[in-house]
Amino acid sequence: MKDLVFATHNAHKLEELRAILKDFNILGLHDINCHEDIVEDGETLKDNAIIKANYVTSNYHIDCFADDTGLEVDALDGAPGVYSARYAGEGCSYQDNVNKLLEALEGVENRKARFKTVIALNLNGEQYLFEGKVEGVITKEQHGEKGFGYDPIFLPDGFDQTFAEMPMEVKNKISHRGRATQKLVEFLMKR
């Protein structure tokens, strides 16, 4: 089983990726003794994924992959987007972000939204990018206890459960991160 470093401190993301990438031993940043907060100051999800992957590769001299994910809401001109994790301010909780988004959409009929994930893979001195996207709507109230982040208020198109109500196996097959990761897996399996 090949070791692959996922440049994240987020235990929820690590758990999701380990469930998807079963043929690899996925290590997090803490596993390589990287305890720094990598500054994500890019203007796009792609920029931030590249920043994180390049930081780990250049400072720890290992191949790795990193992702950045954003929720884009049509009625908010694509916000929170690249600022999804800190939508309610620095140091905010997942619940703070959800509350702010629900308040911003109070009385708004158009609740169309999408999750996007960009993965940057640094492998053998080359960089590869993979993107995943899922369309859906923002619900008017929270549903479900599973998942994290905006999962309790994101209802993917064609489903009657939010991400937070779905079993992880179902979510991982249809989610933005699942789709981007599947592209990563297909690429790695060909190598």
Side-chain angles (χ1 to χ4, degrees):
M1 189 176 285
K2 179 169 174 35
D3 286 352
L4 197 54
V5 175
F6 179 27
T8 188
H9 291 294
N10 185 317
H12 296 290
K13 280 187 181 184
L14 203 53
E15 181 183 356
E16 272 189 13
L17 267 291
R18 284 178 173 151
I20 297 169
L21 290 166
K22 292 182 179 130
D23 293 330
F24 296 87
N25 182 36
I26 303 300
L27 305 173
L29 290 177
H30 64 280
D31 296 313
I32 61 166
N33 291 316
C34 174
H35 304 289
E36 303 90 66
D37 276 331
I38 302 169
V39 177
E40 299 175 46
D41 55 3
E43 293 184 19
T44 66
L45 300 174
K46 176 182 165 185
D47 292 344
N48 285 339
I50 289 170
I51 287 167
K52 289 187 278 189
N54 288 351
Y55 180 90
V56 172
T57 299
S58 64
N59 289 285
Y60 292 85
H61 313 290
I62 51 177
D63 291 336
C64 73
F65 69 98
D67 83 328
D68 199 25
T69 294
L71 176 65
E72 299 175 348
V73 180
D74 287 357
L76 302 177
D77 296 323
V82 74
Y83 303 105
S84 294
R86 52 192 183 278
Y87 184 50
E90 290 298 327
C92 64
S93 68
Y94 292 140
Q95 191 60 53
D96 295 336
N97 286 333
V98 166
N99 291 344
K100 181 173 179 176
L101 185 59
L102 288 176
E103 286 172 22
L105 291 175
E106 187 77 36
V108 175
E109 286 304 309
N110 175 11
R111 300 178 82 84
K112 288 184 190 248
R114 74 211 41 80
F115 267 120
K116 281 187 185 174
T117 292
V118 176
I119 294 175
L121 169 68
N122 287 350
L123 185 68
N124 301 325
E126 299 288 330
Q127 188 166 75
Y128 307 91
L129 298 171
F130 309 92
E131 185 176 309
K133 175 170 77 167
V134 62
E135 299 284 338
V137 295
I138 302 300
T139 58
K140 293 186 177 177
E141 53 194 38
Q142 298 179 62
H143 300 279
E145 302 292 322
K146 300 179 187 105
F148 62 99
Y150 298 96
D151 286 357
I153 59 171
F154 186 80
L155 181 68
D157 287 350
F159 290 84
D160 60 1
Q161 292 181 311
T162 66
F163 275 166
E165 295 174 293
M166 292 179 176
M168 187 184 285
E169 310 79 62
V170 175
K171 178 188 172 192
N172 285 345
K173 284 182 183 165
I174 65 163
S175 77
H176 47 294
R177 190 171 293 109
R179 290 175 177 175
T181 304
Q182 192 54 46
K183 291 175 184 175
L184 171 67
V185 169
E186 288 166 9
F187 173 81
L188 290 170
M189 293 306 197
K190 289 178 189 171
R191 302 216 26 115

